[in-house]
Amino acid sequence: MEHKHRYDAQGKQLCCIPQEEKIYTDADAKKLLEQKHPKTAHSNDHDDEDGHDHSHSGDSDNIFKMFLPAIISLVLLLAGIAMDNWFPQTWFTDWVRVVWYVFAYIPVGLPVLKEAVESIGKGEIFSEFFLMGIATIGAFTIAEYPEGVAVMLFYAVGEVFQTLAVSRAKANIKSLLDQRPDEVTVLRDNEPQTVKAETVEIGEIIQLKPGEKLGLDGELLSATSSFNTAALTGESKPDTKNKGETVLAGMINLNTVSQVKVTTAYTDSKLSKILELVQNATSQKAPTELFIRKFAKIYTPIVVFLAVAICLVPYFFVNDYQFTDWLYRALVFLVISCPCALVISIPLGYFGGIGAASRNGILFKGSNFLDALSNIQNVVMDKTGTMTEGVFNVQEVVFDSAFNETEILQMVNVLESHSTHPVATAIHEYVGKPSNEVELQDTEEIAGHGLKSTIDGKELLVGNFKLMDKFGIQYDLDPNTIVYTTIAVAYDNKFVGYITIADTIKEDAQDTINLLHKLNVKATMLSGDKSTVVKYVAEQLGIDNAFGDLLPEDKVNRVKEIKAKNETVAFVGDGVNDAPVVALSDVGIAMGGLGSDATIETADVVIQDDRPSKIPMAINIGKQTKKIVWQNITLAFVVKGIVLALGAGGLATMWEAVFADVGVALLAILNAVRIQRMKF
């Protein structure tokens, strides 16, 4: 008899545990494996952030090829220095010695000289390649062959480390880009066919095996299925979807073979839009980055002319002027002044920040928003869907004892079935399936008030207290004393009572406010919901200021009041309904960006899941990125300033120059990549 897998209500497999572990392994769901075997999982499957990497043979070969020119140059240089100083050879003189060092120079120097020529061809004369080229060739002209080779060798090694650092930063983002599979299995004439994802048309059905990634957005046709959404939200926790629910490209199917009806073209899927956003993020430069680029363009020609001046001007003022001595000082000055530590490490720092944020399910549209968030003083947020779940539940039913509560609730439930409002959903959840025995007549929705209908010749009113006032229904309570959202009910021109509905506060909302306060950021809640509800939520969470009963223009005015104090504002909302406020704020943050194309389009920062704790995390990533960038700027200027002064005075040799240039660049690069390993 064929075995059939058994599953619980959440889609978890109850049998064949080894098979389940295999599926989790295939799906790259490391956290799921660790939950099952917390002590043994690590030995089999390392996490990308556990502080070390597995070296694959292909990667090792590539790294060796990158370092090969430097290795050849180093061997020849060390051999030459040994024959110069430690093991003198009679044949190692004159032209033989020159040729030896030229051969040592070529592997590392030729690519740089080629880059310098190409830069000049593009009109960029004073590039770092030009500086290194004239400095090392100059060293050869004054017979300082070992130092000329050494300068270029260390520069080449620095370039390789820079390339590796950039590759690592790109790998963090590439891991996101790799989440979209190129091929999918579609059912055509009831036969599975593997085709290119971009060729699949809307309406076709994808068959998704356990461990496979979904290639396009669609609607789940299977009864239930569990997915790993880590590629989209940064969370590896399984998310169970039911028939008819939306599933997105990049989700990994777990446990069951599922069928998905394609609803969106390949290029229009949420994941495609996210990938495009991430790939374009580095084109939006931060002010610091833009300044350094402009600075380098002005700074480089100035130091070239200063180097020429150091070489030639002393001729008119120094009695025992020696051209070779002052040329050497000028060359040292040139090597020190190369701005590569700045022009490499600063973009790398911002790139690392964007990559770190992407890994945590936070998308920045540019490094300028990393800078902007680091200086935010106020976070203004919506209530529903941001700090609360956006899912309403009935809290209490307060009806006059003269009425039959069950009968009235059935009537209300049937009437609310004509509405799509979240309140109606809450009542359906509480009461159950609407009764077929209740017959409605003359049903009418009164905008901004509620619903009216006739049952058995008697009028039923369900809505807010404005509806009661409109129809002259008398009641003996003050609605403002009720904290929750209130649904008033009247039947046969008599006040029956009310039902209170409340939204659930998100589990990490409290942590969010606490973390914002630790970052010295003030929190303000603006909502169109009832003021008593908004103030109650604000008091529960410790939010600094809260305002309810607001229209969109009222929210704009509140944000203008904060901006009038010359304080920076980040607004957190859905990015669509609050577009005017998002436009006014310094940074617009969209919550739950997976749900809306417009969110991804309008917001500056997109939080891919609905967790508000990602707001302070995004601010912290911005602050850490900015801190690292300014550490690198300070390091480069201080060290270069000191060694430049020593070089101009003849107190620094080429070796100090190498440290000031390549050494500082390496230190700055190592500092910049730290952000890629940070836990936020």
Side-chain angles (χ1 to χ4, degrees):
M1 182 175 177
E2 186 181 351
H3 171 73
K4 292 185 178 180
H5 296 309
R6 292 179 293 109
Y7 307 92
D8 64 13
Q10 284 71 45
K12 181 180 178 183
Q13 189 172 337
L14 299 175
C15 60
C16 305
I17 300 304
Q19 173 66 11
E20 180 182 349
E21 290 180 12
K22 179 179 181 296
I23 292 166
Y24 284 166
T25 304
D26 292 343
D28 197 26
K30 300 181 182 69
K31 291 185 181 178
L32 297 177
L33 280 167
E34 289 169 0
Q35 288 167 9
K36 297 181 72 62
H37 302 292
K39 291 183 179 179
T40 60
H42 183 77
S43 63
N44 299 320
D45 207 346
H46 293 293
D47 189 90
D48 290 339
E49 295 176 5
D50 63 3
H52 63 282
D53 300 314
H54 290 294
S55 293
H56 301 288
S57 59
D59 294 338
S60 300
D61 290 343
N62 287 335
I63 292 172
F64 177 75
K65 286 177 183 176
M66 291 172 70
F67 277 104
L68 184 58
I71 292 170
I72 294 170
S73 182
L74 178 63
V75 170
L76 291 174
L77 174 63
L78 291 177
I81 291 173
M83 288 185 285
D84 272 338
N85 300 288
W86 306 318
F87 310 105
Q89 302 293 319
T90 53
W91 57 269
F92 193 67
T93 56
D94 302 327
W95 66 269
V96 175
R97 182 170 178 265
V98 174
V99 170
W100 185 279
Y101 282 116
V102 167
F103 275 108
Y105 179 86
I106 286 173
V108 290
L110 200 59
V112 175
L113 296 178
K114 183 181 176 183
E115 289 281 359
V117 172
E118 289 178 357
S119 296
I120 292 171
K122 295 174 184 175
E124 299 174 8
I125 299 174
F126 299 105
S127 64
E128 59 184 281
F129 310 110
F130 176 74
L131 289 183
M132 299 308 299
I134 60 173
T136 52
I137 291 172
F140 268 78
T141 61
I142 57 173
E144 298 290 350
Y145 312 123
E147 293 186 9
V149 174
V151 168
M152 194 60 85
L153 170 62
F154 287 121
Y155 178 76
V157 171
E159 286 290 294
V160 173
F161 278 113
Q162 171 206 330
T163 303
L164 291 174
V166 172
S167 297
R168 184 172 179 81
K170 285 184 176 178
N172 289 330
I173 290 178
K174 189 175 183 294
S175 64
L176 178 66
L177 304 183
D178 286 342
Q179 298 304 325
R180 181 177 57 187
D182 295 324
E183 295 182 337
V184 295
T185 301
V186 294
L187 294 177
R188 291 175 179 171
D189 299 325
N190 291 322
E191 290 292 327
Q193 295 181 20
T194 302
V195 299
K196 293 288 185 184
E198 62 262 28
T199 65
V200 178
E201 297 181 0
I202 294 173
E204 290 199 84
I205 296 173
I206 293 176
Q207 181 173 286
L208 202 61
K209 297 175 185 175
E212 286 187 337
K213 293 173 185 174
L214 183 58
L216 298 97
D217 296 353
E219 175 189 327
L220 185 64
L221 298 180
S222 304
T224 183
S225 191
S226 190
F227 292 89
N228 172 11
T229 63
L232 298 166
T233 64
E235 295 295 320
S236 293
K237 186 171 65 175
D239 184 8
T240 300
K241 299 287 185 182
N242 297 313
K243 183 176 181 178
E245 289 191 298
T246 299
V247 287
L248 302 174
M251 289 183 174
I252 301 169
N253 184 25
L254 301 174
N255 299 340
T256 60
V257 176
S258 304
Q259 291 186 356
V260 176
K261 182 180 178 182
V262 177
T263 57
T264 310
Y266 182 76
T267 53
D268 295 329
S269 69
K270 298 290 187 300
L271 185 58
S272 293
K273 290 180 180 295
I274 290 168
L275 302 188
E276 184 181 351
L277 187 154
V278 173
Q279 286 173 306
N280 294 335
T282 49
S283 63
Q284 298 285 338
K285 304 298 180 186
T288 311
E289 200 173 349
L290 293 171
F291 167 75
I292 289 298
R293 287 192 168 192
K294 291 177 182 176
F295 171 80
K297 287 184 178 180
I298 299 169
Y299 163 85
T300 308
I302 289 175
V303 296
V304 170
F305 290 120
L306 284 175
V308 173
I310 288 171
C311 178
L312 301 179
V313 171
Y315 172 79
F316 302 101
F317 302 98
V318 177
N319 293 328
D320 56 344
Y321 174 81
Q322 292 289 327
F323 175 76
T324 53
D325 290 345
W326 288 99
L327 176 60
Y328 183 80
R329 293 187 189 188
L331 296 174
V332 169
F333 186 86
L334 274 181
V335 174
I336 298 166
S337 64
C338 186
C340 53
L342 295 171
V343 298
I344 293 169
S345 64
I346 292 170
L348 184 60
Y350 284 113
F351 199 84
I354 290 171
S358 298
R359 280 204 320 277
N360 286 285
I362 304 168
L363 303 180
F364 281 87
K365 285 194 175 178
S367 51
N368 51 328
F369 298 117
L370 275 168
D371 254 16
L373 258 190
S374 69
N375 298 317
I376 286 297
Q377 298 164 286
N378 296 272
V379 168
V380 178
M381 62 194 72
D382 194 14
K383 178 182 76 71
T384 307
T386 300
M387 303 307 286
T388 63
E389 297 287 354
V391 178
F392 290 86
N393 295 299
V394 172
Q395 301 299 306
E396 56 181 347
V397 178
V398 182
F399 284 174
D400 191 305
S401 58
F403 294 89
N404 184 314
E405 180 178 308
T406 303
E407 287 183 5
I408 296 294
L409 280 175
Q410 283 293 349
M411 293 179 189
V412 171
N413 193 27
V414 172
L415 181 56
E416 287 290 355
S417 66
H418 290 261
S419 172
T420 56
H421 195 277
V423 166
T425 306
I427 291 173
H428 296 330
E429 289 285 334
Y430 182 77
V431 179
K433 187 177 179 181
S435 172
N436 295 325
E437 297 177 3
V438 178
E439 293 184 6
L440 303 177
Q441 293 178 327
D442 303 323
T443 301
E444 180 186 353
E445 182 170 356
I446 302 168
H449 292 75
L451 296 165
K452 177 177 81 73
S453 190
T454 302
I455 301 174
D456 297 332
K458 298 174 184 178
E459 194 173 67
L460 175 68
L461 300 171
V462 179
N464 53 31
F465 280 92
K466 292 178 186 176
L467 184 67
M468 303 295 109
D469 296 336
K470 183 179 179 67
F471 285 87
I473 304 297
Q474 300 296 315
Y475 50 89
D476 57 354
L477 59 89
D478 181 4
N480 293 322
T481 61
I482 304 171
V483 172
Y484 300 123
T485 300
T486 311
I487 308 302
V489 181
Y491 184 58
D492 195 17
N493 295 318
K494 296 173 186 174
F495 183 66
V496 175
Y498 61 87
I499 304 168
T500 57
I501 309 277
D503 196 358
T504 308
I505 295 173
K506 290 184 178 178
E507 60 181 359
D508 62 337
Q510 185 66 68
D511 290 339
T512 300
I513 302 304
N514 294 341
L515 290 168
L516 286 174
H517 287 157
K518 281 184 181 179
L519 293 167
N520 295 319
V521 176
K522 287 177 278 187
T524 300
M525 181 181 284
L526 304 179
S527 177
D529 206 348
K530 187 177 173 183
S531 287
T532 52
V533 177
V534 176
K535 288 187 176 173
Y536 172 75
V537 172
E539 287 171 6
Q540 291 285 102
L541 298 177
I543 292 172
D544 303 291
N545 300 295
F547 305 93
D549 294 315
L550 299 179
L551 297 171
E553 55 265 32
D554 299 326
K555 293 182 180 181
V556 170
N557 291 332
R558 291 290 181 184
V559 172
K560 282 182 177 177
E561 288 174 13
I562 299 173
K563 297 271 286 182
K565 301 175 187 176
N566 291 322
E567 294 183 5
T568 52
V569 178
F571 182 83
V572 187
D574 61 13
V576 185
N577 299 335
D578 299 306
V581 198
V582 171
L584 182 65
S585 60
D586 296 285
V587 180
I589 303 176
M591 290 290 291
L594 295 181
S596 168
D597 291 337
T599 298
I600 295 175
E601 296 295 329
T602 58
D604 304 316
V605 180
V606 178
I607 293 174
Q608 293 173 250
D609 54 20
D610 287 321
R611 293 175 57 194
S613 56
K614 296 286 181 75
I615 301 166
M617 182 188 289
I619 295 172
N620 192 30
I621 289 173
K623 286 182 178 292
Q624 294 300 326
T625 302
K626 189 172 183 180
K627 184 190 293 185
I628 283 174
V629 165
W630 278 101
Q631 284 173 352
N632 285 346
I633 290 172
T634 304
L635 172 71
F637 275 117
V638 169
V639 174
K640 281 182 180 290
I642 293 170
V643 184
L644 275 173
L646 293 174
L651 301 176
T653 67
M654 279 281 185
W655 301 108
E656 285 86 355
V658 167
F659 172 74
D661 175 41
V662 179
V664 170
L666 280 175
L667 290 175
I669 289 167
L670 292 173
N671 191 38
V673 298
R674 276 196 308 125
I675 197 166
Q676 297 167 41
R677 293 183 175 274
M678 287 182 180
K679 304 286 185 182
F680 294 99

